[in-house]
Amino acid sequence: MLREAVTLLFDGQTEAEATRWLTRKGMLTPRGNEFRREVLHRLLTNPRLAGLHENGEPIEGWDERVLEPAVFMRLQKLYVERSEKRSAYREAHDYLLTGGCAVCDECSQPHVGSRAHADAPPSYKCDGCGKTRINAEKLEDFVAEHVLAELLKPGARKRLEKLECDNEAEIARLKEHIAGADERFASIGDLYGRGLMVKAAFVAAQKASKEDLRVSKLRLKHLEQMTDLPIGDVHDLVAWWRTASYASKRGLVLLEVKHVRVGRAEGSQDPAKRVLIDWRQPTT
């Protein structure tokens, strides 16, 4: 049955599908449990299945092999090819709304780029409670549509100019804040060195300061990615969006949008029924 499962893999099926096939056939692990994908993968990558040492040399006096060495080596090659294909596929998607823009409506924690499993499409998943997940392309298309619609409203140019002034002011503030990081770290160390701070508080303060610096640098990077935006008729704006880099698109979204709040699916994957956009309001 394991040989037949390997044949399924050679025929293009996934390990998950091969595992389900083994379960339907009633095959159990040596411990009497149903097969899981991880267990099957660990078993099929063990060279002893083909009577081989780790270095690929035959084990002297080995009894019946489950797989012939040539078949085992072909299977390992298939695993490498699939791994490389998955890696290339995963790297192909640039997430537009990470970095604190997309957040969970349940716990307010940021969403991160994720995939439900190796062959799943890109999605956003809450990095806190983990209760919200949404298809990346659907969410990004929904947000892009609303951002472009917002920029086509009367007075959009004036509003955008004010937002850009806010953007420049925040960039200046972030640069100053980042430049003062060494001084803040030194101050924390000085307090601890003089016995004015217990070790637990010192460690917590250092950790918080490092996280604050990381978030500040990421925010600065995103704000600096904004490029000149042509505010003309709908065709000019849509043409700009279609040809702009992801960095420019991300900069525009961050300029216009404070947060994209993602709620639970509740039986519907339609972003219009589970996504709320908090728009930035000019302060200048």
Side-chain angles (χ1 to χ4, degrees):
M1 292 176 76
L2 284 173
R3 290 174 187 146
E4 289 188 46
V6 170
T7 300
L8 294 177
L9 296 178
F10 287 148
D11 287 342
Q13 296 195 42
T14 65
E15 283 185 329
E17 290 170 326
T19 302
R20 287 193 290 270
W21 179 83
L22 288 171
T23 300
R24 288 196 301 271
K25 291 293 185 180
M27 184 172 180
L28 302 175
T29 68
R31 294 186 178 182
N33 301 316
E34 288 188 355
F35 266 89
R36 291 181 292 112
R37 189 197 64 79
E38 296 83 0
V39 175
L40 179 63
H41 180 81
R42 189 164 59 245
L43 182 62
L44 295 184
T45 53
N46 187 342
R48 288 178 174 268
L49 204 66
L52 301 173
H53 288 292
E54 292 292 339
N55 61 7
E57 294 296 321
I59 300 175
E60 193 172 337
W62 195 259
D63 291 330
E64 183 182 2
R65 296 186 290 260
V66 176
L67 297 178
E68 290 301 311
V71 175
F72 177 79
M73 299 308 294
R74 181 187 168 197
L75 179 61
Q76 306 318 301
K77 184 180 178 181
L78 176 66
Y79 280 138
V80 171
E81 290 173 352
R82 288 188 176 183
S83 177
E84 291 175 348
K85 185 177 180 181
R86 281 196 299 269
S87 296
Y89 179 59
R90 286 176 178 171
E91 292 169 3
H93 190 82
D94 289 317
Y95 289 93
L96 186 67
L97 306 172
T98 51
C101 185
V103 298
C104 176
D105 200 35
E106 294 281 324
C107 67
S108 299
Q109 291 299 305
H111 270 237
V112 295
S114 172
R115 294 175 190 263
H117 52 82
D119 299 317
S123 62
Y124 288 86
K125 178 188 176 184
C126 173
D127 200 29
C129 67
K131 294 178 180 178
T132 57
R133 181 191 289 273
I134 190 168
N135 179 277
E137 291 186 359
K138 286 184 178 180
L139 178 61
E140 290 169 2
D141 287 347
F142 175 82
V143 172
E145 179 183 337
H146 282 74
V147 167
L148 295 179
E150 194 72 16
L151 289 172
L152 292 169
K153 291 180 178 179
R157 179 184 289 276
K158 192 172 183 179
R159 180 174 178 275
L160 187 64
E161 288 173 354
K162 291 181 178 180
L163 286 171
E164 285 178 328
C165 288
D166 291 346
N167 185 48
E168 291 172 3
E170 187 173 0
I171 286 175
R173 181 190 66 78
L174 284 170
K175 285 182 175 179
E176 184 178 352
H177 182 68
I178 292 169
D182 289 342
E183 185 177 342
R184 291 193 297 277
F185 282 118
S187 177
I188 294 171
D190 180 60
L191 289 172
Y192 179 63
R194 287 161 43 190
L196 301 177
M197 182 182 286
V198 297
K199 185 175 182 180
F202 168 69
V203 172
Q206 273 200 325
K207 183 179 179 180
S209 296
K210 288 179 181 178
E211 177 62 13
D212 171 68
L213 182 60
R214 184 191 70 80
V215 171
S216 296
K217 287 181 175 180
L218 181 63
R219 175 73 178 157
L220 177 62
K221 176 184 175 182
H222 288 166
L223 292 176
E224 288 181 329
Q225 288 172 341
M226 182 57 196
T227 60
D228 292 335
L229 175 68
I231 302 294
D233 62 25
V234 64
H235 302 293
D236 293 336
L237 194 53
V238 171
W240 178 88
W241 183 267
R242 285 175 177 169
T243 58
S245 66
Y246 252 69
S248 296
K249 291 178 180 178
R250 186 182 291 115
L252 173 60
V253 169
L254 288 172
L255 189 63
E256 282 281 320
V257 174
K258 187 175 182 180
H259 288 123
V260 175
R261 292 187 282 136
V262 181
R264 293 197 201 189
E266 301 293 350
S268 174
Q269 296 296 332
D270 183 1
K273 296 182 179 179
R274 51 185 303 218
V275 175
L276 292 173
I277 299 177
D278 296 331
W279 298 98
R280 287 192 182 279
Q281 299 302 320
T283 59
T284 304

